[in-house]
Amino acid sequence: MEVTQNSDNNDRKFALPVDSEHKATVFRLFSVATPHMRAFHLSWISFFACFVSTFAAPPLLPIIRDNLNLTATDIGNAGIAAVSGAVFARVAMGTACDLFGPRLASSSLILLTAPAVFLSAIANSPAAFLMVRFFTGFSLATFVSTQFWMSSMFSPGVVGTANGLSGGWGNLGGGATQLIMPLVYSLIHSHIGSTKFTAWRIAFFIPAIFQTLSAFAIFFLGQDMPDGNYVRLENSGEKHKDSFSQVFYHAITNYRGWILALTYGYCFGVELTIDNIIAQYFYDRFNVNLHTAGIIAASFGLANLFSRPGGGILSDVVAKRFGMRGRLWTLWVVQMIGGLLCLLLGKVGSLSASIAVMLVFSVFVQAACGLTFGVVPFVSRRSLGVISGMTGGGGNVGAVLTQVIFFRGSRYSTEEGMTLMGVMMMCCTLPILFIYFPQWGGLFCGPKKGSTEQDYYLSEWTKAEKEQGFHKMSLKFADNSRTERGKKGSSAPIPSNYETPPTIV
């Protein structure tokens, strides 16, 4: 069914119902409708490919370790390198999305990092191994373009679901690679007859080719916004070409973005850390074979099939009744429980108990990631990309700090490191208590009397910019985000001193 919507100058048709920004108001998972659902499928598949590439090495580490004579410190440094590269890349990706659009930003980064995956096959020293993991890790910045793209395509009522599913299914690559790489290695080693030190090198061509193809798919099949690509919209005057300084300024001066970056550092950062250490942990501590360790480790990442999407869906569900305050409360509770389970994972000493705790822990830590990006799209409209990049980069910073402190060298055993990581996770969840939106409230305080969505989002624009009409997209978003008041606040009056566009049903 096609739904026709009126734009300022054009009649446009969409396969899904849309709001006044032409963002889809429903999420149909099994649809490939252009542009909304096609963007969804392109985003999660490409992010999945980047995750497979970045974490292709850990499941083969026992073989690579012997081939390259890697020490425990070398392995720890390479693991840190794999996630540290994306710290600044994610902030840069957010800025690129704001200025150039997610299609061009994402496809460019994926294509630029693919050679590092190919070069993994010829690494011949600990230093070379560290470098290819470092540059491959840059590709994880595509997470930011994924979340930005979904926030540009789906309305506030379903954006948590879209972000959760795209991010969660992309993160599946961290679990899938634990199965894919040992299987590919085994086929090459056993059935083709290559030596084990040659087989692991050939295996890296699979993720490299997959990643390259995903870049071309995004570039040729994707679209930045519901109404078209950035270049066309800017040339036609439908979209204001923003300046870097203004976009960056409004992001770094919004304290909510910094708090979410910190808390995300200890949900997604913890997830990245576990992806790097869990296979080797079960292999070394419980003496299971490489294939079994890979299956156990894969089960952690594969929980993203439903756990992170579940977090995004839960965020949207509670928001329908309790608004933004419901989103914040759910995030805080789920992430605190995740920290407790992480602490427990380091304490249990049997194989079966460790697997059981790990599985439950995976659900909560990944759901917290989905819940985080149920909040992020509402922090800033003008600087959405940079805020997404800051939050996503915080995840990598958390992973780097955790691995440097607890899993590098021999100061702590792996189980001690996991216990302390759980403590840090709980401590870094506490700042959510300080997030407050004047128009919606926070965990313990209601909204400020008289404050509106228009006041909040239009404060990012100067009087001169408003006179030129640059603020119109923010005005539409403010109107559509009134759903974040929850059921009790949905009947609150709309201020008459703003030209609020009608919602299109």
Side-chain angles (χ1 to χ4, degrees), residues 26 93 103 114 131 156 385 402 452 465 477:
V26 297
M93 174 61 86
R103 168 182 155 270
M131 291 303 293
T402 301
T452 67
E465 289 172 327
F477 182 77

Side-chain angles (χ1 to χ4, degrees), residues 175-194:
T177 195
Q178 303 281 354
L179 297 175
I180 293 170
M181 294 306 290
L183 177 61
V184 171
Y185 165 80
S186 178
L187 289 173
I188 296 170
H189 179 48
S190 304
H191 297 280
I192 297 180
S194 297

